[in-house]
Each structure stands twice: as structure tokens, then as C-alpha cells.
């Protein structure tokens, strides 16, 4: 029987971890073929425009994905294995392969996104039975089968989730054993793993992480692992193992714990997304209630990122005013200098610190009273490290409709600026860059329909 083994890279641009999983699964050496298709960097839905009237994915993220694919090709070449890169759609490729092989085994990453799940289901329905799909482990610190609860019973708050996870102790989870593997964190052709080694072991910035993580602008105040995690270029489990290794060999303190804590937050949003599905994107969120940031009289609905908004004609004036406020926020022209600086950095670089994201989101939701999902979609468009579960989960959290026990989570932006940019270093740094957001970055007129 002629069998073909494929690793299909869908926003998962690493060879090392998938291959290790396949060796363990088949209990023998394997020689998989890598595959990049039209859907690898953007899902079918992401090739369209969002309800904001703009593309779903920015050039920043696409360029980063291109760089990841280039390094991925080198990883395959070093193992003397092929990586096929094509602009063809997956269905066409797999149908062609099914004509040439008796069995085609396709390994795909575990993705919680509703669009991604639906796409794979639709794909499987049009392919011959000889094309068999298998799921790679999720790019999370913990795997679903080792959680102290079923995914369907994930607590409604992070605190409840964390306490149950930590009761067992991190050393009892599978990721802790990765540090003992001889080729742990192979850095060849892997800028992601090079960054992990540099941040944790070489420069040891991890030792002060808890006290520096709220920084703004450039620098090593944070790990900056996010974009590689989102692209699957390094696994959360590897980073977690690196932290435990550092604690064992060098030092353990509140900062080393806090980086694990942040990885667990990312896990929480991943598994919560699996639990609540498309509810993550709805205006009422998992709480099924109106965001306290909204003060308009519009009955909001969200039917998909690619679906144009429909607003009753009687609310035209309200919708247009909200759109104007949203444009001023996104185009960095609302007059709040601290927020404008953040929006300039985001548009120009595709990056923004965690503190910046929280402040920008809070200001849009609770000061400008703009629908929170507009901001989530803007961030989805621009962020290089965009992760569907974390991005939408955090926005819902700040909007008061997500995994937060508090009814309102509003930041006083004046106090935030005073606390985190007292000397105006960040705002002055942004000014020096002479960045701007072009007027046509968003439609001037409200992009929805009045019905």
C-alpha cells in the first residue's frame, strides 16, 4: 500500500514539534512531507473583507508569516525532507494526491477558531475517504486531556481555572518533561527558539519580568514571544519547560512564576473558546448581557467578521457618530495623546504592549462608548501576534461581557499615563518616529447598511 504522510501547516510554522509528535505516535522514524497551501497563512474567510470595510489581515502579519515559512523551509531542508509551497487550495491538492496514493494521512494543528473548524469540516466533506485527517497537539502549555476538568466545564473566570490547574503543580504536567529531551529548544533555523533562549537563559530578563511587563514601546520589558506563539513557530509547552529549567538550574522567583501565569492565561482563553465557540464574538459575549460601555439605543447583532453590519435606519445618526469616534481612535486623532501614541505604534509596527492594549481597549469601550467588537476586529487586522482566542477573549473581558467576575473593568487613562509614562518617554519616542495612520485606512462613511 502506498501511503503519504503530510504535515499541513495552517498558521503553524514549525517542523520540530510536529515531527516529534509523529515519531511518538507511529513509534518509528517518519518522513513526513510539509505542505503550505492557499489557506496556510489566511483561512478562506480571512481572504475577504471584514465588516469594518477593510482586509482581515494586515501586511505586517503576512510579512511575518512569510518569514516564518522561509525558516520552515530551512528546517525541512536540514532534515532532507520536502516542503511543498503552493498557492493552490487544499481541496485541489488533496484530491490530486488521492489519485496517486492509496492513503493520504494529513496532520493539522488544533485550532479553536470557529471559521477554522468550519473550514476543516467542509473540506473533509468534499474529499475522498482515503484522505484521513489527524490532529496535532494544541499549541498550549497544557493539553486538554490533562486538564483537571473537562473542556466543557472550564470555569467562567481565569482565577477558578488557575487554582484548579496549580493545585496539581506544574511539574506534574507533560510540558515539564520536555526540558529533559536531548534536543530541547533546537535553535537552528528557528528565530523563535533563539528568542526564548536569549530572553530566559542568556540575558535573563525573565528574572525581573513581573516588574517590567507593563512597559511601553521597544525593549525587553516583556518576552515578545507572542508573535511566534501565534504563528506556531514555537510551542507554549517548550517555553513553559524552559521556565522550569531556568528555575531548577538558576533561580525561581515571582517573575519566573508570572511568565508561566501569562502562558496559563493564554491556555485559558484557548480552552474557553473551545467551550463557548462563536459566543466569543457576539456583542453580549459569554455573559449574554449588554456591555456596560454601550450607551446607545441600538440593538446590536454580530453575524460574522465578513458580514456587513445592518442597522435600523432609525439609528443612522447614532451609528454614524459611533463610527466617527471609532475612526478617530483607530486613526490616532482622538486628541488623547497617550492613546493616540498607542494607535500610531500599532498601525506602524503591528505591535503593542499588553498595557497599551488594555488602555486602548478600555478607552474605546468605556470613554468613547464604541462597540467593543469593532476594536477587536481592528486589532485582529493589525496585530502581528494575533491569536483569535486571546484577542477576542481579552476584548470581551474588558467590555464586561467576558471571563471577568467584575461588572466593569475601566481604566482611568489619565492615571495610566501618569503611572506608566510619567516622563513622556513613550509618547516622545512615538513622536520621533513621525508615524501616521492614513485617512483611507478605514472608510470615511459608516461601512454598514441601514435597513
Amino acid at each position: 500500500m502506498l501511503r503519504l504522510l503530510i504535515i499541513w501547516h495552517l498558521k503553524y510554522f514549525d517542523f520540530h514539534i510536529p515531527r516529534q509528535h509523529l515519531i511518538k505516535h507511529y513509534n518509528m522514524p517518519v518522513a513526513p512531507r510539509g505542505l503550505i497551501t492557499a489557506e496556510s497563512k489566511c483561512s478562506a474567510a480571512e481572504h475577504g473583507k471584514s465588516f469594518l470595510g477593510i482586509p482581515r489581515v494586515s501586511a505586517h502579519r503576512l510579512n511575518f508569516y512569510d518569514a516564518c515559512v522561509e525558516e520552515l523551509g530551512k528546517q525541512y531542508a536540514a532534515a532532507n525532507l520536502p516542503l511543498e509551497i503552493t498557492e493552490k487550495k487544499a481541496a485541489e491538492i488533496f484530491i490530486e494526491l488521492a489519485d496517486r496514493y492509496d492513503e493520504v494521512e494529513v496532520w493539522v494543528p488544533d485550532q479553536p477558531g470557529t471559521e477554522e473548524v468550519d473550514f476543516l469540516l467542509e473540506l473533509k466533506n468534499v474529499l475522498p475517504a482515503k484522505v484521513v485527517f489527524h490532529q496535532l497537539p494544541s499549541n498550549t502549555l497544557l493539553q486538554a486531556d490533562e486538564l483537571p476538568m473537562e473542556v466543557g466545564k472550564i470555569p467562567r473566570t481565569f482565577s477558578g481555572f488557575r487554582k484548579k490547574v496549580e493545585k496539581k503543580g506544574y511539574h506534574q504536567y507533560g510540558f515539564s518533561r520536555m526540558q529533559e529531551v536531548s534536543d530541547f529548544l533546537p535553535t537552528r533555523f528557528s528565530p523563535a527558539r533563539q528568542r526564548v533562549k536569549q530572553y530566559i537563559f542568556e540575558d535573563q530578563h525573565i528574572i525581573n519580568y513581573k516588574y517590567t511587563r507593563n512597559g511601553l514601546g521597544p525593549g525587553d520589558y516583556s518576552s515578545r514571544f507572542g508573535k511566534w506563539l501565534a504563528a506556531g513557530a514555537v510551542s507554549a509547552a517548550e517555553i513553559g519547560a524552559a521556565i522550569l529549567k531556568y528555575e531548577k538550574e538558576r533561580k525561581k522567583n515571582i517573575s519566573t512564576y508570572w511568565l508561566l501565569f501569562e502562558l496559563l492565561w493564554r491556555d485559558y482563553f484557548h480552552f474557553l473558546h473551545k467551550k463557548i465557540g462563536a459566543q466569543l464574538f457576539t456583542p453580549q459575549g459569554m455573559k449574554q448581557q449588554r456591555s456596560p460601555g454601550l450607551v446607545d439605543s441600538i440593538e446590536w447583532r454580530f453575524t460574522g467578521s465578513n458580514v456587513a453590519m445592518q442597522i435600523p435606519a432609525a439609528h443612522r445618526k447614532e451609528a454614524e457618530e459611533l463610527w466617527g469616534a471609532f475612526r478617530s481612535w483607530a486613526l490616532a486623532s482622538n486628541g488623547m495623546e497617550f492613546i493616540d501614541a498607542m494607535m500610531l505604534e500599532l498601525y506602524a509596527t503591528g505591535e503593542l504592549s499588553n498595557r497599551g492594549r488594555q488602555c486602548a481597549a478600555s478607552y474605546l469601550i468605556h470613554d468613547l462608548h464604541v462597540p467593543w467588537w469593532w476594536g477587536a476586529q481592528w486589532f485582529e487586522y493589525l496585530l502581528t501576534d494575533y491569536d483569535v482566542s486571546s484577542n477576542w477573549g481579552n476584548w470581551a473581558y474588558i467590555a464586561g461581557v467576558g471571563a471577568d467576575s467584575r461588572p466593569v473593568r475601566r481604566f482611568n487613562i489619565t492615571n495610566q499615563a501618569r503611572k506608566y509614562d510619567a516622563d513622556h518617554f513613550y509618547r516622545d519616542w512615538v513622536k520621533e518616529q513621525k508615524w501616521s495612520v492614513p485617512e483611507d485606512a478605514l472608510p470615511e462613511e459608516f461601512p454598514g447598511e441601514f435597513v
Side-chain angles (χ1 to χ4, degrees), residues 110-164:
D110 172 33
Q111 297 179 316
T114 309
E115 292 174 346
E116 289 80 3
V117 170
D118 290 345
F119 164 67
L120 284 177
L121 286 174
E122 292 171 6
L123 178 62
K124 291 174 185 178
N125 288 335
V126 301
L127 295 178
K130 64 171 67 176
V131 180
V132 180
F133 286 83
H134 303 286
Q135 197 170 77
L136 291 164
S138 61
N139 189 4
T140 46
L141 188 66
L142 313 178
Q143 293 300 306
D145 61 3
E146 59 181 352
L147 292 176
M149 76 288 288
E150 296 175 6
V151 171
K153 295 181 179 179
I154 293 290
R156 293 177 65 83
T157 65
F158 171 69
S159 179
F161 175 75
R162 177 186 59 80
K163 288 175 181 177
K164 290 187 176 183

Side-chain angles (χ1 to χ4, degrees), residues 32-244:
R33 176 191 296 183
L35 179 63
I36 298 286
T37 67
E39 301 91 349
S40 287
K41 290 179 280 188
C42 290
S43 67
E46 287 174 326
H47 282 286
K49 284 190 175 184
S50 76
F51 62 82
L52 298 179
I54 58 174
R56 292 280 302 276
V57 184
S58 69
H60 291 303
R61 191 151 81 251
L62 290 175
N63 290 338
F64 176 64
Y65 287 167
D66 286 341
C68 289
V69 171
E70 183 178 348
E71 294 301 318
L72 181 66
K74 294 176 183 176
Q75 293 174 23
Y76 272 92
N80 293 314
L81 291 171
L83 172 66
E84 180 181 354
I85 302 175
T86 177
E87 290 300 318
K88 291 181 179 180
K89 292 183 178 181
E92 181 181 353
I93 292 292
F94 292 137
I95 289 172
E96 289 176 359
L97 292 173
D99 288 337
R100 293 157 44 196
Y101 291 87
D102 298 308
E103 187 175 55
V104 180
E105 293 194 42
V106 184
W107 286 84
V108 295
D110 172 33
Q111 297 179 316
T114 309
E115 292 174 346
E116 289 80 3
V117 170
D118 290 345
F119 164 67
L120 284 177
L121 286 174
E122 292 171 6
L123 178 62
K124 291 174 185 178
N125 288 335
V126 301
L127 295 178
K130 64 171 67 176
V131 180
V132 180
F133 286 83
H134 303 286
Q135 197 170 77
L136 291 164
S138 61
N139 189 4
T140 46
L141 188 66
L142 313 178
Q143 293 300 306
D145 61 3
E146 59 181 352
L147 292 176
M149 76 288 288
E150 296 175 6
V151 171
K153 295 181 179 179
I154 293 290
R156 293 177 65 83
T157 65
F158 171 69
S159 179
F161 175 75
R162 177 186 59 80
K163 288 175 181 177
K164 290 187 176 183
V165 167
E166 292 184 342
K167 185 177 181 179
K168 183 176 177 180
Y170 285 120
H171 286 278
Q172 301 302 311
Y173 292 103
F175 79 89
S176 67
R177 295 186 287 276
M178 295 183 73
Q179 61 182 300
E180 301 164 5
V181 178
S182 59
D183 60 345
F184 175 59
L185 278 180
T187 55
R188 190 182 184 201
F189 307 128
S190 178
R193 293 185 179 92
Q194 291 168 14
R195 171 62 184 174
V196 173
K197 280 196 170 181
Q198 178 188 14
Y199 183 83
I200 295 177
F201 296 103
E202 296 171 7
D203 297 339
Q204 300 190 67
H205 291 302
I206 188 175
I207 208 69
N208 296 309
Y209 172 75
K210 187 176 188 296
Y211 308 104
T212 63
R213 65 192 175 89
N214 283 311
L216 299 165
D220 288 318
Y221 54 83
S222 72
S223 70
R224 299 189 182 274
F225 298 156
K227 63 182 181 181
W228 284 297
L229 276 168
V234 68
S235 73
E238 286 178 286
I239 296 173
I243 295 169
L244 294 184

Side-chain angles (χ1 to χ4, degrees), residues 112-114 118 273-283 285 288 302:
T114 309
D118 290 345
H273 189 180
K274 279 183 170 288
K275 175 185 176 181
I276 66 175
Q279 207 174 63
L280 181 70
F281 310 102
T282 60
Q288 289 298 284
F302 178 87

Side-chain angles (χ1 to χ4, degrees), residues 320-330 334 364 368 370:
E320 290 177 341
E321 288 176 351
L322 287 169
W323 183 252
F326 175 68
R327 285 188 86 249
S328 71
W329 172 84
N334 76 76
L364 181 73
L368 298 181
V370 169

